[in-house]
Amino acid sequence: MSGGLLKGARERWVRTGGVELCVAELGDSERPTVFLVHGYPDSKEVWSEVAVRLAEHFHVVLYDVRGHGRSTAPTPLRGGFTLEKLTDDFLAVADAVSPDGPVHLVGHDWGSVQAWEFTTVERTRGRIASFTSISGPSLDHFGHWIKKRMTRPTPRKVGQLLGQGAKSWYVYMLHTPVLPELAWRGPLGKQWPRLLARVEKVPAGGYPTPSLPSDAAHGAWLYRDNVRARLSRPRADAHAHAPVQLITPTGDMFLSPKLYDDLEQWVPSVTRRTVAAKHWVPRTRPDQLAAWIGQFVRSVETPADKALAVPAKRGKRADAYAQRFAGQLVLVTGAASGIGRATAFAFAEAGARVVAVDRDGEGASRTAELAALIGAPEAWGEQVDVSDEAAMEKLAEKVAAEYGIVDVLVNNAGIGLSGSFFATTSEDWKKVLDVNLWGVIHGCRIFGAQMAERGQGGHIVNTASAAAYQPSKALPAYSTSKAAVLMLSECLRAELAGQGIGVSAICPGFVNTNITATARFAGVDAEEEKRRQKRTSRLYGLRNYPPEKVADAILGAVLTNRAVVPVTPEARGAHLLSRFTPKALRAIARLEPPV
Ligand code: NAD
């Protein structure tokens, strides 16, 4: 039994090719075997957080690559780390822990580079059921990628080459003799944990392990023994013989996502996923990785789940949404109608798990049912008034306990109120601020705190309005509530930036939803209010801007982490005016409303 980060793991030693490999196993060995291969400079403990999550459902196997962690190093070091020898090691461990069945491979960084070799050479055929690659390309594919860009260079291709070339600075350094070893065994080794914490936001807690300096010194041979040789003479037959899931951290400082543009030519079936994070995702995003790995493994083991793992071909945009949001937990308020409902559906189509929240419980349940039909693997309807703090607290507790921590929160519930300032009573003000502002505050405070505490990133979207920056004498209370939401979003964005949590404010103009039929008009009798609601509904109907387009803007805002997103041409126009000629907006603010 092992202690430290892999507490309770069963340990064994596998002898192969002159080295002894330290192997750890977790979970029931009767279940499908998942192999986690670590990268550089690392040891198997980099996987500890992912391993414990996967061990609930799978037989999880980790080993220290030769020369790393507690595995012994080859002598001499030079020539001891070739991809051929690393493949021998993999087969020896696989034969020891899973002699009768193929294994599901997962590799990060150099673990992924070697696992690409395992998955594309003939002698491992039948031993690999699937491969999840994270932040480590096949050297053969990379070699062809470079060749293709050198032979018929276009400005775009040269740009891609230079871009990746700049990210590969450390590869050149590692090819210099002796110096990397001196650095790692000296100051760099000492500083590394602090660097990881500062630059990559890797949480402390026993990682990296004390073997880091020697892992890094030995591991330099991974580069020296393989990189130059393979990149200059890449194999022509490096085709994968197992399905591949490619997880790409979009903020990886070492690898450009463009590297994988030609992947389909090498792999019969690729499931692509993107995660808004930096390089060390096994430490910073264990929940997301474990969920995607588990889902992929199940889809291969149980072909009925296949539809989940390999989305049908759709547009580029829809593909990008599916790659990012599949399996994520998304909570949308005001989801029974209009923009909220369309947003819940858009996330469902992308394969997200959806919690539809509304004070209209029946409507929320209907949205959830339809979301499940459209593509959400799971969907729930919850009846909650967002202005009720205690109810929101209770909802957050229930969601965390039963569905998980929310990855994307959309605070969208809102109500309309028209009427001059003096016609608006303090009761009217209270109602509007309670829902439009306090509802958003409760959502951000309660669900945002859970997100921040988990420490694995996330995103908050607040539905503001073009009214947030466009004054109007007809909408003082509504516009004030939305301006507050906009500013709240900006402040929170600044506060959460360091924790990988994005915040976006969505500012639609006139959108054809139910809001016009339910909006209140202050200072008029019931009959006049009805007449005005009808008239506004007709005008918005004529404008006919669909809520689905706002939903699309919301998914896009999360994908690219945009701060303020005006939607509809009039909202974009007003946004420009507010920045460059606010005087013009002030003049428009004085016009009589068309009701
Ligand atoms: P909608 O009326 O179609 O939908 C709003 C939903 O919010 C409804 O299902 C309603 O039941 C729910 N809701 C209202 N108060 C709630 C509360 N206290 N707790 C829980 N749920 C509550 O309206 P919509 O146009 O889809 O509006 C969505 C958001 O978009 C609102 O914040 C609105 O201010 C904003 N917005 C709308 C427009 C537009 O032109 N429609 C323009 C800019 C901004």
Side-chain angles (χ1 to χ4, degrees):
M1 290 277 179
S2 146
L5 286 178
L6 290 166
K7 217 180 232 132
R10 307 181 291 280
E11 245 178 46
R12 65 163 99 188
W13 295 86
V14 172
R15 253 171 217 279
T16 169
V19 293
E20 269 200 295
L21 302 174
C22 178
V23 181
E25 289 171 79
L26 291 110
D28 182 351
S29 60
E30 294 298 310
R31 301 235 172 115
T33 301
V34 178
F35 248 64
L36 303 173
V37 190
H38 71 80
Y40 175 87
D42 261 319
S43 59
K44 61 183 180 317
E45 282 73 15
V46 70
W47 284 116
S48 63
E49 290 293 323
V50 176
V52 291
R53 286 161 171 79
L54 287 173
E56 288 173 24
H57 311 283
F58 303 107
H59 174 214
V60 180
V61 177
L62 315 93
Y63 65 98
D64 287 321
V65 172
R66 49 173 57 208
H68 296 69
R70 288 158 64 211
S71 294
T72 60
T75 40
L77 290 170
R78 180 188 298 277
F81 288 84
T82 59
L83 286 167
E84 290 74 15
K85 289 185 177 161
L86 298 170
T87 308
D88 293 341
D89 291 355
F90 159 66
L91 283 171
V93 179
D95 287 346
V97 299
S98 178
D100 303 321
V103 304
H104 296 271
L105 261 176
V106 182
H108 173 246
D109 185 271
W110 251 95
S112 172
V113 175
Q114 19 175 334
W116 271 113
E117 175 82 0
F118 311 160
T119 312
T120 56
V121 292
E122 236 353 85
R123 65 193 170 115
T124 57
R125 194 178 278 275
R127 298 298 285 127
I128 298 169
S130 76
F131 168 36
T132 295
S133 161
I134 308 163
S135 286
S138 148
L139 291 184
D140 298 302
H141 302 167
F142 191 6
H144 286 291
W145 184 91
I146 294 172
K147 276 208 164 106
K148 192 169 155 190
R149 279 153 187 78
M150 304 258 276
T151 40
R152 249 175 282 137
T154 60
R156 197 173 64 91
K157 287 179 180 171
V158 172
Q160 290 179 357
L161 268 176
L162 292 176
Q164 179 53 47
K167 286 179 181 247
S168 299
W169 55 269
Y170 66 101
V171 181
Y172 321 126
M173 307 273 286
L174 283 165
H175 276 82
T176 53
V178 191
L179 282 178
E181 279 88 339
L182 286 177
W184 279 115
R185 291 192 190 279
L188 186 54
K190 276 203 197 79
Q191 288 300 323
W192 190 245
R194 238 165 307 184
L195 271 173
L196 277 185
R198 180 142 20 107
V199 180
E200 289 272 335
K201 304 279 181 278
V202 169
Y207 173 86
T209 55
S211 63
L212 172 83
S214 78
D215 299 341
H218 288 151
W221 289 99
L222 290 167
Y223 293 85
R224 295 167 185 157
D225 277 352
N226 297 294
V227 173
R228 228 175 324 194
R230 273 303 169 89
L231 292 189
S232 55
R233 281 183 308 282
R235 288 188 297 134
D237 61 349
H239 296 280
H241 45 64
V244 174
Q245 169 170 242
L246 179 77
I247 299 178
T248 310
T250 50
D252 197 321
M253 66 186 284
F254 305 111
L255 293 163
S256 152
K258 292 274 167 231
L259 269 185
Y260 302 107
D261 276 359
D262 310 328
L263 199 59
E264 272 73 5
Q265 103 187 54
W266 301 106
V267 184
S269 136
V270 191
T271 301
R272 289 173 181 260
R273 303 282 180 230
T274 58
V275 51
K278 295 186 177 178
H279 184 75
W280 258 273
V281 279
R283 300 309 300 173
T284 58
R285 298 289 185 274
D287 283 346
Q288 183 65 81
L289 293 197
W292 278 336
I293 294 165
Q295 189 186 348
F296 190 58
V297 168
R298 273 189 285 270
S299 76
V300 174
E301 292 284 323
T302 325
D305 281 359
K306 201 134 210 149
L308 271 183
V310 186
K313 275 269 162 269
R314 358 178 201 205
K316 240 187 164 165
R317 215 177 165 81
D319 272 350
Y321 293 159
Q323 286 168 24
R324 170 70 188 275
F325 300 122
Q328 292 216 318
L329 185 62
V330 178
L331 185 144
V332 184
T333 68
S337 168
I339 295 168
R341 183 172 56 183
T343 303
F345 290 163
F347 276 112
E349 256 187 325
R353 299 152 63 227
V354 173
V355 188
V357 176
D358 205 289
R359 66 177 171 193
D360 166 7
E362 245 174 64
S365 301
R366 236 183 353 260
T367 298
E369 277 163 30
L370 284 170
L373 287 177
I374 289 172
E378 293 174 294
W380 306 269
E382 299 287 348
Q383 178 170 18
V384 172
D385 179 341
V386 295
S387 65
D388 179 342
E389 184 174 8
M392 286 290 274
E393 297 264 12
K394 225 165 123 194
L395 173 71
E397 266 170 40
K398 176 180 178 187
V399 169
E402 295 180 17
Y403 319 142
I405 298 296
V406 170
D407 296 298
V408 180
L409 167 70
V410 186
N411 290 307
N412 164 79
I415 52 174
L417 175 68
S418 243
S420 72
F421 177 77
F422 289 112
T424 308
T425 63
S426 51
E427 201 45 42
D428 292 331
W429 272 96
K430 200 167 148 2
K431 270 190 195 142
V432 153
L433 292 178
D434 271 355
V435 179
N436 291 10
L437 178 57
W438 276 104
V440 176
I441 295 175
H442 296 325
C444 290
R445 223 177 45 72
I446 299 166
F447 287 98
Q450 291 183 341
M451 241 183 224
E453 194 188 335
R454 174 177 66 163
Q456 296 185 40
H459 204 100
I460 298 174
V461 177
N462 295 327
T463 309
S465 164
Y469 45 77
Q470 176 174 356
S472 153
K473 70 176 188 180
L475 295 167
Y478 181 80
S479 304
T480 303
S481 72
K482 293 300 185 182
V485 168
L486 178 60
M487 183 52 86
L488 160 65
S489 309
E490 290 270 25
C491 295
L492 194 58
R493 184 179 170 89
E495 181 166 340
L496 293 177
Q499 296 173 61
I501 298 175
V503 181
S504 304
I506 307 296
C507 302
F510 306 111
V511 184
N512 194 9
T513 69
N514 258 343
I515 201 164
T516 45
T518 53
R520 296 247 2 271
F521 287 79
V524 297
D525 62 23
E527 205 176 311
E528 177 60 14
E529 184 168 60
K530 273 256 141 31
R531 198 188 66 76
R532 292 191 183 189
Q533 285 171 340
K534 263 202 189 129
R535 204 179 134 77
T536 323
S537 295
R538 214 171 39 245
L539 284 175
Y540 274 55
L542 282 175
R543 168 76 183 85
N544 204 17
Y545 194 92
E548 289 73 21
K549 282 198 178 176
V550 185
D552 186 59
I554 289 178
L555 269 71
V558 180
L559 196 68
T560 51
N561 190 15
R562 288 183 65 191
V564 180
V565 185
V567 192
T568 75
E570 66 274 9
R572 280 195 292 274
H575 196 233
L576 281 177
L577 292 181
S578 74
R579 288 159 79 181
F580 300 114
T581 54
K583 260 191 176 163
L585 275 191
R586 286 181 198 126
I588 296 171
R590 295 177 181 199
L591 297 178
E592 279 303 328
V595 284

